Amino acid sequence: MILVLALDALDPDLVDRFRAEGKLPVLSRLAERGRLERLRSTFPPVSLPAWSTFLTGVGPGIHGLFDFTRLENGRVCFQTAADRATPTLLELLDRAGLRCASIGVPSTYPAACLAHGAVLSGFDSPLAGRPDARAMQPLKLWRELGRAGVDLRTSELPEGRKGRGWHRRARREILASIERRVAQTMGLLARRDFDLMLVHFQAADTAGHHFTRYFDTSSLRHDSRHPDRARVIPEVYGALDRAVGQLWSACGDDATVVVVSDHGMGPASDCVVYLNRWLEQQGLLVTHPAPLRRGIQLLRSASLRWLPRELQARLFRQLRHSLVPWLESRVRLRHVDLEASAAFSEESSTFPGVWVQDPAREDEIFERLRGFDAVARVYRRRDLYRGPERERAPQLLLELRHPLVRTPPGYRGPAVRRLDPAEFDGERGTGLNGVHRPEGVLLIGGKRSAVERARTPWIGDLAPSLLAALGVPIPTWMEGTPLEELAPRPAYTDTPSDAPALPQSRLSHRDRARIDRRLRALGYLE
Ligand SMILES: [Zn+2]
């Protein structure tokens, strides 16, 4: 049996540091019996594309998921597994008759119907934790667990502003989410046998986004006045280490254990970037004249104005989560005159890119972006991705030195703004205080490797490795290279694999609102 622990955002430097301090005894024991190394993520190093690459063995140019959202006719749409162009490891193993369980992995909603396995979708599902066939398969099994008292919910952070008590509640919720995930997995292990058990924990990601500035003394946003908050990240790493130990012993000592993270985490700078503002200053982006812009800003409130006041209040409470995000997605680029602009950005905090309207100007805009001091690197889409889906990505992609935030309509300030210390925590418009880093962790425990690696492994290497480790031939369309300790003698197949058997489920307004709310609470959407 193979147990894969998908520890979102587990950072290689923090793992080294906490191991040296003796805080991660289980991971240390595993590393002594295996290999602990860095793992290269996707670009961007974000959950949805990265876990999709983990599941499919191909990059976003082939599987087609670049971010939580995608731009379609100027409108922001949420992406789900139904938008993925390639089958996953789970489906390939299932077709070969193997039993897989996938618990809480991002990008697995709607849940694939596995003949022999079980799926519980992740925090990006609009139904996280509610017994529904779109989020859990087979539903009968999860209902059984629910009746046995297993809490099937996925973590949700306290909503709203970070007022008094928010950090205490967030800490409690993050730690509780780890225990819940262990209980869900234990419940499943007690009822069925599996060949592959894949379990995702979001805790290090959430803790990293919201608590890095209290913990990391090198952070430009550091605040040393809250020792209780400074303890949260070490506490979460310790709790994850114990969870790995619990699940490892439940699977038996001869199980192969793989710990993998989709990216790392580090401190954000004390500035934010308004990319569309910079494009405007460069004369590349044109905004609508003020009256129209104001009109769009008023749309949100005006849309409810025709209702009697008491109804307005009630309706607004009910619609808050469906109508407002929908309007926002329509508003997001409406103040940009797309036809008159040479370039614009969606200003997605997780996927900073620039769409170039006129292909003839790509080189010029590339060079100008390279001269922008907030930009660490500029990539061309065609150099980063290959595959039929790459045109879903903007032509130019950026590695920024500061968090990207949305340019408010009418904003006339500088394109790079230094934050006021009161903004350091990461409220809306100020960027999260912990940000993703492109290298995660790979720990293959229980097997020794005789060979040295010539390169840093890539997150897309895991799917072919796991297939081969379970005796299933690797489809030749996979881009990843099997890792020798898992797959010493990989076999390949040329047989084209069908598209995944996913229920065709369009997201309703309410679904979109739920995803929106969760991503906002986690800090992904501005
Ligand atoms: Zn994250």
Side-chain angles (χ1 to χ4, degrees):
M1 180 191 179
I2 305 180
L3 170 67
V4 180
L5 297 142
L7 306 185
D8 210 288
L10 199 78
D11 186 76
D13 291 332
L14 288 187
V15 167
D16 286 349
R17 171 172 165 183
F18 294 145
R19 274 189 69 201
E21 292 171 1
K23 290 190 175 113
L24 305 176
V26 178
L27 292 183
S28 292
R29 201 145 40 90
L30 273 170
E32 280 155 23
R33 295 171 49 169
R35 189 211 286 262
L36 172 69
E37 60 201 314
R38 286 166 185 266
L39 184 67
R40 191 163 56 83
S41 185
T42 48
F43 188 91
V46 188
S47 287
L48 208 69
W51 290 119
S52 272
T53 291
F54 167 86
L55 287 169
T56 59
V58 295
I62 298 181
H63 65 59
L65 299 188
F66 292 87
D67 195 2
F68 289 109
T69 54
R70 81 170 176 278
L71 195 64
E72 218 172 65
N73 303 325
R75 173 140 184 226
V76 181
C77 304
F78 285 106
Q79 307 248 70
T80 70
D83 299 297
R84 189 162 41 220
T86 37
T88 66
L89 166 73
L90 303 170
E91 287 142 353
L92 296 170
L93 289 169
D94 193 63
R95 274 178 224 162
L98 288 142
R99 299 157 301 180
C100 306
S102 166
I103 305 178
V105 180
S107 84
T108 58
Y109 174 88
C113 308
L114 303 178
H116 315 284
V119 178
L120 173 66
S121 47
F123 72 82
D124 54 327
S125 147
L127 303 162
R130 284 196 310 141
D132 183 296
R134 284 173 296 162
M136 301 176 192
Q137 285 287 341
L139 192 52
K140 199 168 146 255
L141 175 61
W142 293 105
R143 283 224 172 96
E144 198 184 306
L145 282 171
R147 278 196 300 274
V150 176
D151 183 346
L152 298 177
R153 273 179 309 144
T154 291
S155 161
E156 284 195 52
L157 276 182
E159 275 180 54
R161 291 185 64 80
K162 287 180 176 170
R164 244 180 105 76
W166 188 95
H167 293 88
R168 241 191 346 266
R169 292 203 306 279
R171 170 190 170 273
R172 215 166 38 227
E173 181 49 50
I174 294 167
L175 292 171
S177 76
I178 299 174
E179 285 174 24
R180 250 193 329 258
R181 186 78 354 125
V182 169
Q184 292 161 357
T185 312
M186 293 292 209
L188 212 53
L189 282 169
R191 281 165 180 81
R192 299 277 194 288
D193 289 325
F194 293 100
D195 301 297
L196 174 71
M197 189 97 206
L198 173 55
V199 193
H200 178 267
F201 291 84
Q202 181 70 9
D205 186 83
T206 313
H209 282 311
H210 297 284
F211 291 92
T212 292
R213 67 183 285 245
Y214 301 107
F215 165 75
D216 190 331
T217 50
S218 77
S219 167
L220 294 173
R221 303 189 187 197
H222 183 57
D223 182 351
S224 59
R225 293 165 303 171
H226 299 277
D228 51 328
R229 296 181 193 173
R231 279 194 297 269
V232 172
I233 288 178
E235 243 180 320
V236 165
Y237 273 64
L240 287 169
D241 187 75
R242 280 193 299 282
V244 173
Q246 281 173 283
L247 297 180
W248 181 16
S249 50
C251 289
D253 212 36
D254 54 345
T256 300
V257 181
V258 178
V259 175
V260 53
S261 67
D262 56 338
H263 50 76
M265 182 71 73
S269 84
D270 57 350
C271 295
V272 290
V273 182
Y274 302 98
L275 192 50
N276 279 344
R277 175 67 182 140
W278 183 82
L279 291 169
E280 189 181 23
Q281 287 173 334
Q282 297 286 309
L284 296 167
L285 180 142
V286 179
T287 51
H288 286 300
L292 178 58
R293 204 165 49 220
R294 252 203 322 276
I296 292 161
Q297 278 180 284
L298 285 172
L299 191 62
R300 247 174 272 189
S301 45
S303 59
L304 291 170
R305 205 162 278 169
W306 48 273
L307 287 166
R309 173 136 331 150
E310 61 280 13
L311 246 181
Q312 262 182 43
R314 205 168 71 213
L315 201 69
F316 193 77
R317 268 198 305 277
Q318 283 170 9
L319 291 183
R320 188 161 53 109
H321 296 306
S322 53
L323 189 65
V324 173
W326 178 79
L327 281 172
E328 269 190 9
S329 76
R330 304 203 64 97
V331 165
R332 189 144 139 188
L333 285 168
R334 281 298 172 90
H335 66 285
V336 177
D337 186 339
L338 294 180
E339 281 190 11
S341 298
F344 69 94
S345 173
E346 289 166 63
E347 299 189 313
S348 159
S349 58
T350 48
F351 193 22
V354 172
W355 292 93
V356 178
Q357 302 277 70
D358 177 3
R361 296 189 69 183
E362 190 179 315
D363 289 341
E364 174 213 332
I365 296 170
F366 178 89
E367 287 305 328
R368 282 218 245 168
L369 279 163
R370 288 220 305 192
F372 180 18
D373 54 10
V375 172
R377 279 193 80 171
V378 191
Y379 301 94
R380 293 174 200 276
R381 172 174 77 190
R382 61 169 189 265
D383 296 331
L384 274 184
Y385 307 117
R386 62 184 196 91
E389 305 294 326
R390 80 170 163 206
E391 308 220 326
R392 288 192 193 184
Q395 291 91 339
L396 300 175
L397 297 126
L398 310 176
E399 227 175 84
L400 293 169
R401 298 185 205 281
H402 319 293
L404 173 65
V405 295
R406 185 133 2 118
T407 307
Y411 176 73
R412 286 283 165 271
V416 177
R417 181 173 74 87
R418 191 168 298 275
L419 298 173
D420 186 85
E423 300 174 296
F424 280 173
D425 216 29
E427 297 279 6
R428 186 175 287 203
T430 60
L432 295 161
N433 71 69
V435 289
H436 292 186
R437 299 202 297 183
E439 282 188 333
V441 171
L442 176 63
L443 169 52
I444 301 176
K447 301 260 164 105
R448 275 193 189 281
S449 169
V451 287
E452 275 305 305
R453 275 200 234 297
R455 60 184 183 104
T456 307
W458 176 51
I459 190 164
D461 295 339
L462 270 303
S465 305
L466 293 167
L467 282 176
L470 290 164
V472 175
I474 302 164
T476 47
W477 51 257
M478 281 195 175
E479 296 179 299
T481 308
L483 302 167
E484 188 152 341
E485 36 300 61
L486 285 170
R489 279 175 300 281
Y492 289 86
T493 175
D494 253 337
T495 322
S497 301
D498 306 328
L502 286 173
Q504 278 311 303
S505 138
R506 285 188 69 81
L507 292 174
S508 65
H509 272 338
R510 183 186 276 193
D511 286 348
R512 284 211 299 273
R514 284 206 189 97
I515 299 177
D516 182 276
R517 194 166 64 220
R518 194 162 305 110
L519 293 177
R520 262 173 220 284
L522 289 167
Y524 282 115
L525 293 182
E526 280 288 321

